[in-house]
Amino acid sequence: MSFESLLFYVFAAILVFAALRVVTTRNPVHAALWLVLSFVTAAGLWLLLGAEFLAIALVLVYVGAVMVLFLFVVMMLDVNFDALRSRIRSHLPVAAVVGAVILAEMALLLVRATRGAGTPPPAAGENTRALGRLLYVDYVYPFEIAAVILLVAIVAAIALTHRRRRDTKHQDPGRQAKVKRADRVRLIDLRSGKP
Amino acid sequence: MDALLAPVQAFLGPAWLPLWTLAKIVAIAVPVILCVAYLTYAERKVIGYMQVRVGPNRVGPWGLLQPFADVIKMLFKEIVVPSGANRWLFFIAPMLSLAPALAAWAVIPFTGTLVLANIDAGLLYILAMTSVGVYGIILAGWASNSKYAFLGCLRSAAQIVSYEIAMGFALVGVLMSANTLNLSGIVAGQEGGAAYWYVWPLFPLAAVYLISGVAETNRHPFDVAEGESEIVAGFHVEYSGITFALFFLAEYMNMILIAVLTAIMFFGGWLAPWPALNDARLWDWIPVVGGVAPFGDGFFWLAAKVAAVLLVFLWIRATFPRYRYDQIMRLGWKVFIPITLVWIVFVGAMMQTRYAPLFH
């Protein structure tokens, strides 16, 4: 067994274990952390395949940004997860169907891959350039349309959830600067009198 | 050197590669840790002089042994775990903040030939590693089971995620100018003297990068994550002894890393400001180290530039008051990101005109 296949089996074992822990652990923060570990080991596997751009992008985007926000939200959630778990029986049929479909799709892909029908990967080390050429030259319109759709989704999400609170003590610097003395100070003539 | 190593290589066989790589890692990590030790000393001395004090001067001549005294003190302190803390994550958090800070050094080119891993996507690797460092802080805050620590970690997470975007965009400009993600290639693209450094065509990006770097490392004036006046010490309030020292080490290591990256990407790395000074033979007269490879090859220049950037960091800390949190967010999202976006479009447009050579 070469050093690379040894690395593959080590990474694969960690990945499977971490992925299992994501769904079996009770604490949601721990689940998110196990997901981080599985992302990192998946990136390691991609590096072994010579897909260095994808591997680093996975760490950069998913581990560095998406999961940080996930953790951020999960840590602040005040949800009783045991109460949610008690309803698992009613969700089981739907979950089983979805799981079966995903399993069938992945099995199909694997069968296709083992028959050698897949496209060969580009030469290692050059794949950043190759990916850039594919995305920004060959498929530039689908790529840009996907980007615009994502932008629309972001704007829509903000527009739907943003609400202006009325009870905040918001300062308007422009109005503060425009204030004149007459707006704030009132001089009154106080006569002294007998107590 | 090779002749000396050949019999060792033959003796070790397949174990040679991992052991030799390990030796190289130690050869980078130990000097970096020593630099951190003396950066803390330099910080106290420089800020001391700026405030008309003398700084540490009791331990050793001119206080030079102060960092070691601090380390020994930290090592012997008791580590207290707060009640209700998540023990496992509490201890793993400082390691998680230190490990990415160390890992990023793997792709840093110190001279034209002295680099541990000269990978093609070096710039992306650096971005990925610096963004992973935030986990240490988040977990420290959450696992401590303390309100102050939790507030500090939330502030820090939001701040780092925000400034990372501006930082990434600043690096896109460098990538456009250099046409490569390889750090050695980026330095090679600035060959020809100080006029060819990327700081001139990409000046707004360099400024944004440097300031975002200060914010990324949670340094003053962006250190609301540990704002002593509001939340005691932020995410590391519950840490003591060597666990606290690890956070400290990671912060200063990230500082040096940002300084090195600024020097490499905007100030020509190991290249001299005047091309004639790049000749290694010029430095033979320096005793002991002059003729030895890394130093004669321009390591001096990189070290000098890094020291200058670090001095700016310390100077900023001694000068400015702390930002308010909403001002930090405003600066990141409403000022830096638009500046970088506009400048990237500008650089891209100029590259299509006859002024393109100015931007390469």
Side-chain angles (χ1 to χ4, degrees):
Chain A
M1 193 160 64
S2 73
F3 185 59
E4 279 188 12
S5 49
L6 177 75
L7 272 184
F8 170 80
Y9 286 114
V10 170
F11 277 132
I14 296 174
L15 178 56
V16 170
F17 178 72
L20 275 177
R21 291 297 289 158
V22 173
V23 287
T24 54
T25 188
R26 286 189 162 269
N27 188 327
V29 173
H30 290 182
L33 290 174
W34 283 112
L35 193 55
V36 169
L37 179 62
S38 50
F39 278 143
V40 173
T41 40
L45 284 177
W46 287 358
L47 267 185
L48 282 180
L49 289 173
E52 57 175 26
F53 179 79
L54 280 180
I56 295 174
L58 181 72
V59 173
L60 180 60
V61 176
Y62 282 90
V63 178
V66 174
M67 289 312 293
V68 172
L69 295 178
F70 246 73
L71 264 182
F72 202 90
V73 173
V74 166
M75 281 176 180
M76 293 205 284
L77 277 182
D78 188 22
V79 178
N80 186 353
F81 284 90
D82 283 325
L84 281 180
R85 199 168 278 113
S86 63
R87 295 212 305 268
I88 198 165
R89 222 166 265 281
S90 59
H91 294 311
L92 204 57
V94 183
V97 170
V98 173
V101 169
I102 293 175
L103 193 68
E105 282 174 352
M106 283 167 76
L108 278 175
L109 270 181
L110 279 178
V111 167
R112 188 163 162 271
T114 46
R115 282 185 187 159
T119 49
E126 270 297 285
N127 56 47
T128 310
R129 209 173 280 272
L131 262 176
R133 199 153 281 153
L134 275 177
L135 280 181
Y136 288 100
V137 179
D138 296 355
Y139 295 100
V140 62
Y141 292 116
F143 181 71
E144 293 296 333
I145 290 170
V148 171
I149 292 175
L150 276 178
L151 182 66
V152 170
I154 295 171
V155 174
I158 294 172
L160 284 174
T161 55
H162 185 74
R163 63 197 165 90
R164 191 166 283 282
R165 285 177 54 178
R166 293 180 199 289
D167 57 339
T168 54
K169 296 192 175 93
H170 187 75
Q171 293 171 341
D172 183 355
R175 273 185 57 207
Q176 285 180 325
K178 269 188 228 148
V179 163
K180 293 276 183 295
R181 192 190 74 131
D183 303 335
R184 293 285 163 85
V185 183
R186 188 163 53 95
L187 287 180
I188 49 173
D189 202 10
L190 267 185
R191 295 258 170 87
S192 58
K194 283 178 186 162
Chain B
M1 188 79 171
D2 285 342
L4 276 175
L5 288 172
V8 186
Q9 188 171 0
F11 174 71
L12 287 172
W16 162 255
L17 190 63
L19 284 179
W20 180 230
T21 314
L22 196 67
K24 286 197 264 191
I25 291 171
V26 170
I28 292 176
V30 170
V32 167
I33 291 172
L34 280 178
C35 284
V36 168
Y38 276 95
L39 181 59
T40 61
Y41 171 76
E43 175 165 41
R44 295 169 68 179
K45 271 288 188 197
V46 166
I47 293 181
Y49 284 129
M50 284 184 183
Q51 297 168 346
V52 207
R53 296 183 283 116
V54 282
N57 66 347
R58 294 288 122 180
V59 192
W62 307 289
L64 271 172
L65 295 176
Q66 184 69 43
F68 296 102
D70 287 340
V71 168
I72 291 166
K73 181 189 77 177
M74 294 278 196
L75 276 172
F76 283 101
K77 275 194 169 181
E78 186 189 357
I79 300 173
V80 183
V81 183
S83 63
N86 190 319
R87 276 190 79 90
W88 176 239
L89 290 181
F90 186 81
F91 284 116
I92 220 166
M95 300 178 209
L96 273 183
S97 71
L98 183 63
L102 268 172
W105 286 89
V107 296
I108 298 289
F110 297 99
T111 72
T113 48
L114 191 73
V115 48
L116 178 60
N118 193 5
I119 64 173
D120 273 331
L123 203 55
L124 274 177
Y125 174 83
I126 292 276
L127 264 180
M129 281 303 132
T130 47
S131 65
V132 169
V134 66
Y135 279 99
I137 293 174
I138 298 186
L139 290 181
W142 185 76
S144 296
N145 191 30
S146 151
K147 285 191 181 68
Y148 293 123
F150 190 55
L151 280 174
C153 92
L154 289 182
R155 284 179 174 195
S156 161
Q159 179 182 331
I160 289 182
V161 170
S162 314
Y163 277 85
E164 217 169 69
I165 304 171
M167 222 168 170
F169 275 133
L171 298 188
V172 169
V174 176
L175 155 69
M176 285 164 74
S177 284
N179 251 327
T180 176
L181 285 166
N182 183 301
L183 290 171
S184 304
I186 288 170
V187 176
Q190 306 176 62
E191 197 124 40
Y196 292 83
W197 291 353
Y198 289 149
V199 65
W200 310 121
L202 305 175
F203 185 75
L205 299 184
V208 167
Y209 184 81
L210 195 60
I211 300 172
S212 305
V214 179
E216 278 275 295
T217 46
N218 279 324
R219 291 280 303 171
H220 211 88
F222 302 106
D223 62 344
V224 289
E226 45 192 277
E228 300 90 339
S229 50
E230 309 146 32
I231 49 173
V232 197
F235 62 91
H236 57 53
V237 65
E238 303 291 350
Y239 283 88
S240 57
I242 201 67
T243 52
F244 167 74
L246 285 185
F247 280 118
F248 212 66
L249 193 61
E251 178 184 324
Y252 280 77
M253 212 175 270
N254 275 325
M255 239 169 99
I256 304 179
L257 184 72
I258 298 284
V260 171
L261 287 174
T262 313
I264 285 176
M265 290 186 297
F266 298 105
F267 294 94
W270 62 82
L271 298 172
W274 188 261
L277 295 179
N278 278 326
D279 194 342
R281 281 170 299 178
L282 278 176
W283 310 107
D284 283 345
W285 58 270
I286 299 173
V288 188
V289 293
V292 183
F295 296 97
D297 288 350
F299 183 73
F300 282 130
W301 293 112
L302 184 68
K305 290 165 186 173
V306 170
V309 177
L310 285 174
L311 186 66
V312 172
F313 277 14
L314 306 186
W315 185 13
I316 288 175
R317 179 173 167 187
T319 310
F320 290 115
R322 187 178 286 141
Y323 263 83
R324 211 170 59 202
Y325 195 69
D326 61 319
Q327 291 170 331
I328 292 181
M329 284 293 147
R330 194 181 144 268
L331 185 71
W333 288 98
K334 295 189 181 169
V335 180
F336 282 176
I337 294 179
I339 287 178
T340 49
L341 280 176
V342 166
W343 202 259
I344 287 170
V345 173
F346 176 73
V347 170
M350 290 306 276
M351 278 178 176
Q352 307 305 317
T353 66
R354 63 199 169 92
Y355 299 109
L358 289 177
F359 289 89
H360 277 295

